């Protein structure tokens, strides 16, 4: 008697098991045991049609090995792979490092399993392995930080989301059960007024560096992806705004993907006015540069007038000269700006807009109490106690 369904259907424990063979590949599906058999047969027919159509269109083979997924992802899935300006350079480098680690663990050490075979257990094994291994598989002298492992977990989650979108897997194995180890969260260094001024003095004699540090400190804009992309046309001295533009067509993109205007303090406006007087109409090889922060001399990898890609080393050298904490980061000036605005009583929703945060909770997380703020709690209490004692 001819069957009215493709493949084979049988009981497997308390479930129905459907096994299909299409284009030389075997596929197994399961349905709840209380499902009517006619519905199971109909599901088998629909799945068989879907798989044959996929094979006919040359769509991804659902039995692809992990190495094949990596190849596809590198070609089409890595953020910014097609348009490098879509994502920050450091983020692209971070993803590239993660892909090397995935290849070392899943392909070389785990035997290149089928993508569908990777489960939560494999993900947890990878996270444990990565804590003590370099991206190439060499044993590390110092364990990787919890924050770095969490980044690896996120990158693996994105990889499997890509696999799910192209039909290689039905579900993402990187779930809440595959959490990275918890570690101490880094507390930003919030400079005092004296420390901030010392940092600016340490930048004197280096025009680009001093203005750059002042822009970070007075506006709280992001360093490499926003401040260093400022053009002369983004400066509105009359109204007192900087335009932080997000435009993929220009190779520039903010973290939120949205452009915004950031107000300038009087001090910053004066500093930019002086900077413009010196550099706005300066020519390099008979051409004026459009960049506020640019190379003044020809370099090995850049020409005079070209945009500065980073001032990180110069910033940290200035911080060292100023005697500031060794763990100070450029991004800490963004934390300082938000903290001061909120401490001065400015509405959080306005601060959020200036910072370019998509969520108000992100803005509030940037507020940091310093020791003087905490001491005020007990000082106020002490004053209340003294008044109470005086009243008898």
């Amino acid at each position: 008697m001819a069957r009215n369904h493709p493949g084979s259907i049988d009981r497997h424990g308390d479930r129905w098991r459907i096994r299909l063979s299409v284009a030389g590949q075997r596929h197994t599906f399961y349905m709840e045991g209380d499902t009517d058999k006619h519905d199971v047969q109909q599901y088998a027919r629909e799945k068989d049609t879907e798989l044959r159509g996929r094979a006919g269109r040359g769509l991804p083979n659902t039995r692809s090995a992990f190495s094949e997924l990596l190849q596809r992802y590198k070609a089409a899935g890595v953020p910014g792979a097609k348009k490098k300006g879509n994502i920050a350079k450091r983020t692209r480098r971070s993803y590239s490092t993660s892909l090397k680690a995935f290849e070392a663990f899943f392909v070389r050490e785990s035997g290149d399993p089928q993508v569908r075979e990777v489960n939560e257990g494999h993900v947890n094994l990878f996270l444990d392995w990565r804590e003590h291994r370099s991206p190439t598989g060499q044993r590390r002298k110092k364990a990787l930080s919890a924050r770095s492992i969490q980044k690896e977990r996120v990158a693996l989650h994105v990889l499997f989301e890509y696999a799910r979108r192209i039909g290689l897997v039905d579900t993402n194995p990187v779930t809440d059960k595959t959490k990275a180890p918890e570690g101490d969260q880094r507390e930003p260094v919030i400079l005092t007024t004296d420390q901030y001024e010392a940092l600016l003095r340490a930048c004197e004699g280096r025009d680009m560096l001093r203005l750059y540090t002042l822009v970070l400190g007075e506006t709280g804009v992001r360093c490499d992806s926003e401040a260093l992309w400022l053009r002369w046309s983004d400066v509105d001295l009359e109204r007192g705004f900087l335009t932080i533009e997000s435009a993929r067509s220009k190779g520039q993109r903010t973290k939120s993907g949205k452009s915004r205007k950031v107000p300038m303090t009087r001090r910053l406006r004066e500093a930019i006015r002086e900077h413009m007087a010196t550099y706005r109409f300066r020519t390099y090889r008979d051409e004026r540069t459009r960049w506020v922060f640019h190379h003044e001399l020809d370099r090995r990898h850049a020409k005079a007038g070209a945009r500065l890609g980073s001032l990180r080393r110069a910033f940290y050298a200035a911080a060292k000269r100023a005697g500031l904490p060794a763990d100070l980061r450029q991004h800490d000036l963004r934390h300082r700006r938000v903290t001061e605005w909120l401490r001065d009583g400015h509405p959080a929703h306005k601060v959020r807009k200036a910072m370019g945060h998509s969520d108000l909770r992100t803005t509030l997380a940037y507020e940091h109490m310093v020791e003087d703020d905490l001491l005020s709690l007990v000082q106020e209490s002490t004053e209340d106690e003294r008044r109470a004692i005086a009243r008898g």
Side-chain angles (χ1 to χ4, degrees), residues 44 61 74 124 154 354:
N61 185 340
K74 290 176 183 178
N124 283 321
V154 170

Side-chain angles (χ1 to χ4, degrees), residues 273-375:
R273 193 186 305 277
E274 294 177 6
H275 189 81
M276 293 181 76
T278 303
Y279 296 99
R280 178 67 179 87
F281 300 107
R282 181 175 291 186
T283 59
Y284 303 93
R285 294 179 303 280
D286 298 325
E287 291 186 5
R288 293 175 182 172
T289 181
R290 54 179 173 166
W291 305 109
V292 174
F293 300 106
H294 57 270
H295 291 277
E296 299 177 62
L297 301 171
D298 288 332
R299 304 289 183 183
R300 181 178 180 184
H301 299 293
K303 296 181 179 179
R307 185 181 70 86
L308 281 167
S310 175
L311 280 169
R312 188 177 305 274
R313 290 184 179 179
F315 177 88
Y316 292 142
K320 186 176 182 179
R321 290 194 298 272
L324 301 181
D327 58 341
L328 174 70
R329 299 292 179 265
Q330 295 175 101
H331 197 75
D332 291 345
L333 293 182
R334 182 172 171 85
H335 286 265
R336 180 179 185 272
R337 182 72 276 171
V338 174
T339 299
E340 289 200 338
W341 272 339
L342 294 177
R343 185 189 298 160
D344 291 342
H346 295 290
H349 70 277
K350 291 185 178 180
V351 178
R352 179 194 69 79
K353 191 171 183 179
M355 290 295 101
H357 291 147
S358 58
D359 193 317
L360 186 60
R361 288 173 295 183
T362 304
T363 304
L364 296 177
Y366 268 68
E367 182 182 20
H368 302 278
M369 299 292 285
V370 294
E371 291 180 357
D372 289 344
D373 298 318
L374 299 176
L375 282 174

